[in-house]
């Protein structure tokens, strides 16, 4: 672990002054900590703020940046102004990351940095991640991948560093909950955000609320958590609460929680058309 830590710090030191695309999740937190160790005040963590950011995430990211000691900036991104993003095809994330990295690239002089770093880890190379293409176009560096660190390595390093997010579940943007082909709107992501907040308020930690055509909510939680939702009075309270948020149908996915389950809707030929070594289209 010490060798991996030192390699990560050395890699980032080689970038010069760096801005970390920082969500406050475990991956970007580890990169932010390494960047601070390597560069001190020559590193800055930058959080994108838009309608797709879940409630409370910005505040948690700010608190963690203070704990790490790294400078922190929040910037507004306008992906919801891009029709390509709202259309919500399987390459939606490309337009989101193009907006983010484009904004960061335009702020490099103001931020006094020489490079942009992401929190993409080695395991992300095997997933459908169109944002990686946008990162490549903007020259974004991926220090975790460059140092051969997968998710388990990142969590172990975060724990060793005492970062409280070391076991935090992945928290992709709210737009990732909208089924491909259904338009992404501020209203729909707000419905999802409030629905997930309701479930977390009932003690659930690992969860997703997916939005499908016809204002249908598909709830994913681990199978062992099903009884928490299917027994009354919670079942009837849940249905009433979700209907109050704008959902017309409320369903529980019997396959349980599956990160990235909406990728099952992508035609296989689109997934297979990626270039070798590129994590996403």
């Amino acid at each position: 672990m010490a060798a991996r830590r030192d390699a990560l710090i050395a890699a980032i030191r080689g970038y010069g002054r760096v801005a970390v695309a920082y969500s406050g999740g475990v991956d970007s937190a580890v990169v932010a900590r390494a960047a601070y160790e390597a560069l001190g005040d020559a590193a800055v963590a930058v959080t994108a703020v838009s309608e797709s950011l879940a409630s409370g995430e910005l505040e948690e990211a700010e608190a963690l940046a203070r704990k790490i000691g790294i400078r922190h900036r929040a910037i507004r991104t306008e992906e919801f102004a891009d029709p390509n993003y709202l259309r919500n095809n399987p390459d939606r994330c490309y337009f989101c990351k193009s907006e983010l990295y484009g904004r960061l690239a335009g702020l490099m002089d103001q931020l006094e940095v020489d490079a942009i770093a992401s929190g993409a880890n080695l395991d992300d190379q095997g997933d459908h991640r169109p944002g990686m293409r946008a990162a490549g176009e903007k020259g974004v560096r991926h220090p975790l991948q460059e140092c051969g660190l997968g998710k388990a390595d990142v969590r172990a390093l975060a724990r060793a560093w005492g970062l409280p997010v070391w076991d935090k579940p992945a928290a992709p943007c709210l737009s990732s909950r909208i089924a491909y082909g259904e338009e992404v709107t501020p209203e729909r992501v707000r419905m999802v955000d409030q629905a997930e907040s309701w479930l977390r308020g009932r003690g659930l930690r690992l969860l997703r609320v997916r939005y499908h055509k016809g204002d249908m909510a598909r709830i994913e939680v681990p199978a062992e958590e099903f009884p928490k939702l299917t027994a009354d009075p919670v079942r009837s309270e849940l249905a009433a609460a979700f209907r109050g948020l704008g959902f017309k149908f409320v369903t529980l996915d019997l396959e349980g929680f599956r990160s990235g389950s909406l990728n099952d809707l992508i035609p296989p030929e689109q997934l297979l058309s990626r270039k070798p070594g590129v994590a996403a289209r």
Side-chain angles (χ1 to χ4, degrees):
M1 186 55 61
R4 291 170 177 169
R5 176 200 63 206
D6 294 345
L8 180 61
I9 292 171
I12 293 175
R13 187 177 292 121
Y15 299 167
R17 303 168 301 174
V18 68
V20 179
Y22 168 75
S23 67
V26 62
D27 296 321
S28 63
V30 163
V31 174
R33 173 61 187 267
Y36 182 68
E37 294 285 334
L39 303 165
D41 288 339
V44 58
V46 183
T47 303
V49 179
S50 75
E51 292 83 353
S52 67
L53 185 66
S55 299
E57 289 293 311
L58 176 59
E59 293 77 11
E60 291 183 13
E62 289 173 335
L64 183 56
R66 287 193 296 270
K67 179 178 177 65
I68 291 170
I70 193 170
R71 287 191 294 143
H72 183 252
R73 283 279 304 274
I75 62 170
R76 177 76 187 180
T77 55
E78 300 293 345
E79 61 269 26
F80 278 76
D82 185 348
N84 292 307
Y85 179 85
L86 301 181
R87 196 173 292 120
N88 197 24
N89 287 331
D91 61 351
R92 178 200 66 246
C93 195
Y94 169 80
F95 302 102
C96 175
K97 295 302 186 184
S98 290
E99 166 70 7
L100 168 61
Y101 295 135
R103 296 265 175 174
L104 281 174
L107 289 171
M108 288 177 70
D109 288 342
Q110 184 184 129
L111 294 171
E112 299 181 321
V113 298
D114 307 304
I116 301 168
S118 86
N121 67 62
L122 198 63
D123 294 336
D124 293 332
Q125 292 184 334
D127 199 2
H128 175 72
R129 292 183 180 266
M132 293 295 288
R133 178 161 59 94
E137 292 172 354
K138 300 298 183 183
V140 175
R141 303 294 297 267
H142 310 297
L144 298 176
Q145 291 186 358
E146 292 172 20
C147 294
L149 298 177
K151 194 70 172 187
D153 301 313
V154 173
R155 290 196 183 279
L157 185 50
R159 189 174 189 179
W161 260 329
L163 300 179
V165 294
W166 72 270
D167 64 342
K168 181 180 179 179
C173 79
L174 293 171
S175 297
S176 69
R177 318 290 203 273
I178 312 297
Y180 293 124
E182 297 299 312
E183 185 180 8
V184 173
T185 67
E187 294 75 21
R188 287 174 175 174
V189 295
R190 186 162 51 248
M191 287 164 62
V192 168
D193 187 25
Q194 293 174 347
E196 293 192 345
S197 293
W198 192 94
L199 292 173
R200 281 192 292 270
R202 271 65 186 175
L204 294 161
R205 189 162 181 259
L206 192 60
L207 60 95
R208 294 284 187 272
V209 175
R210 313 285 189 186
Y211 176 96
H212 288 269
K213 186 175 183 178
D215 294 326
M216 184 182 79
R218 176 168 60 87
I219 301 168
E220 293 182 12
V221 297
E224 60 270 21
E225 303 276 24
F226 287 0
K228 291 184 179 180
L229 301 182
T230 56
D232 280 322
V234 174
R235 182 189 61 81
S236 55
E237 291 172 353
L238 186 159
F242 277 42
R243 283 183 176 274
L245 296 176
F247 290 106
K248 296 175 182 175
F249 306 96
V250 184
T251 67
L252 177 62
D253 190 324
L254 297 182
E255 289 193 68
F257 175 85
R258 302 178 322 284
S259 182
S261 68
L262 287 176
N263 288 343
D264 293 344
L265 304 177
I266 302 174
E269 61 272 15
Q270 292 190 28
L271 292 173
L272 294 174
S273 63
R274 296 185 304 210
K275 296 179 180 179
V278 177
R281 309 176 57 251

Coordinates of all heavy atoms in Angstrom, one line a residue, residues 33 41 45-46 55 57 89 105 112 134 136 163 178 184 189 202 239 241 255 269 271:
R33 N -6.5 13.8 -2.3 CA -5.6 13.7 -1.2 C -4.1 13.5 -1.7 O -3.2 14.1 -1.2 CB -5.9 12.5 -0.3 CG -4.9 12.1 0.8 CD -4.7 13.3 1.8 NE -3.6 12.9 2.7 CZ -3.8 12.3 3.9 NH1 -5.0 12.0 4.3 NH2 -2.8 12.1 4.7
D41 N -0.7 23.6 -2.0 CA -1.6 24.6 -2.5 C -1.5 24.8 -4.0 O -2.3 25.6 -4.6 CB -1.3 26.0 -1.8 CG -1.8 26.0 -0.4 OD1 -2.6 25.2 0.0 OD2 -1.3 26.8 0.4
A45 N -9.2 21.2 -5.8 CA -10.3 20.2 -6.1 C -11.5 21.0 -6.6 O -11.9 22.0 -6.0 CB -10.7 19.4 -4.9
V46 N -12.1 20.6 -7.8 CA -13.1 21.4 -8.4 C -14.4 20.5 -8.5 O -14.3 19.5 -9.1 CB -12.7 22.0 -9.8 CG1 -13.8 22.8 -10.4 CG2 -11.4 22.8 -9.7
S55 N -28.8 15.9 -3.7 CA -28.9 16.7 -2.5 C -27.8 16.3 -1.5 O -27.6 15.1 -1.3 CB -30.2 16.6 -1.9 OG -31.2 17.1 -2.8
E57 N -24.6 16.4 -1.7 CA -23.3 15.9 -2.2 C -22.3 17.1 -2.2 O -21.1 16.9 -1.9 CB -23.4 15.4 -3.6 CG -24.1 14.0 -3.7 CD -23.3 12.9 -3.0 OE1 -22.1 12.8 -3.3 OE2 -23.9 12.2 -2.2
N89 N -29.3 9.8 -25.1 CA -28.9 8.6 -25.8 C -27.7 8.0 -25.0 O -27.3 8.6 -24.0 CB -28.3 9.0 -27.2 CG -29.5 9.3 -28.2 OD1 -30.6 8.8 -28.0 ND2 -29.2 10.2 -29.1
A105 N -10.9 23.4 -18.5 CA -9.8 23.9 -19.4 C -9.8 25.4 -19.6 O -8.8 26.0 -19.6 CB -10.0 23.2 -20.8
E112 N -4.8 28.6 -11.9 CA -3.3 28.5 -11.8 C -2.9 27.1 -11.8 O -2.1 26.6 -10.9 CB -2.8 29.3 -10.6 CG -3.1 30.8 -10.6 CD -2.5 31.5 -9.4 OE1 -2.6 30.9 -8.3 OE2 -2.0 32.6 -9.6
A134 N -14.5 12.1 -23.9 CA -14.4 13.6 -23.7 C -13.1 14.0 -22.9 O -12.5 15.0 -23.2 CB -15.6 14.1 -22.9
G136 N -10.3 12.3 -23.0 CA -9.2 12.2 -23.9 C -9.0 13.4 -24.8 O -7.9 13.9 -25.1
L163 N -9.8 8.6 5.2 CA -10.9 9.3 4.5 C -12.2 8.6 4.8 O -12.4 7.4 4.6 CB -10.7 9.3 3.0 CG -9.3 10.0 2.5 CD1 -9.2 9.9 1.0 CD2 -9.3 11.4 3.0
I178 N -32.0 8.0 -15.4 CA -33.1 8.2 -16.4 C -32.8 7.2 -17.5 O -31.7 7.2 -18.1 CB -33.2 9.6 -16.9 CG1 -33.1 10.7 -15.8 CG2 -34.4 9.8 -17.8 CD1 -34.3 10.6 -14.9
V184 N -33.9 13.8 -20.4 CA -33.4 14.2 -19.1 C -34.0 15.6 -18.8 O -33.7 16.5 -19.6 CB -31.9 14.2 -19.0 CG1 -31.4 14.8 -17.7 CG2 -31.4 12.8 -19.1
V189 N -35.0 14.6 -12.7 CA -33.9 14.3 -11.8 C -34.2 14.7 -10.4 O -33.8 14.1 -9.4 CB -32.5 14.9 -12.3 CG1 -32.1 14.3 -13.6 CG2 -32.6 16.4 -12.4
R202 N -35.0 6.0 5.4 CA -35.6 4.8 6.0 C -34.4 3.8 6.3 O -34.7 2.6 6.5 CB -36.6 4.2 5.1 CG -38.0 4.7 5.4 CD -38.2 6.1 5.1 NE -39.4 6.7 5.4 CZ -39.7 8.0 5.3 NH1 -38.8 8.9 4.8 NH2 -40.9 8.5 5.7
A239 N -45.3 4.0 -1.5 CA -46.1 4.3 -2.7 C -46.7 5.6 -2.7 O -46.7 6.4 -3.7 CB -47.2 3.2 -2.9
A241 N -45.7 8.3 -1.0 CA -44.6 9.3 -1.1 C -44.1 9.5 -2.6 O -44.0 10.6 -3.0 CB -43.5 8.9 -0.2
E255 N -34.5 -8.3 -9.2 CA -33.1 -8.7 -9.3 C -32.2 -8.0 -8.4 O -31.0 -8.3 -8.2 CB -32.6 -8.4 -10.8 CG -33.2 -9.4 -11.8 CD -32.5 -9.3 -13.1 OE1 -31.3 -9.7 -13.2 OE2 -33.1 -8.8 -14.1
E269 N -24.2 -4.0 -30.2 CA -23.2 -3.5 -31.2 C -22.7 -2.2 -30.8 O -21.5 -1.8 -31.3 CB -23.9 -3.5 -32.6 CG -25.1 -2.5 -32.6 CD -26.4 -3.2 -32.3 OE1 -26.4 -4.3 -31.7 OE2 -27.5 -2.6 -32.6
L271 N -21.9 -1.3 -27.7 CA -20.9 -1.5 -26.7 C -19.7 -2.1 -27.3 O -18.5 -1.8 -26.9 CB -21.5 -2.5 -25.7 CG -22.6 -1.9 -24.7 CD1 -23.1 -3.1 -23.9 CD2 -22.0 -0.8 -23.9

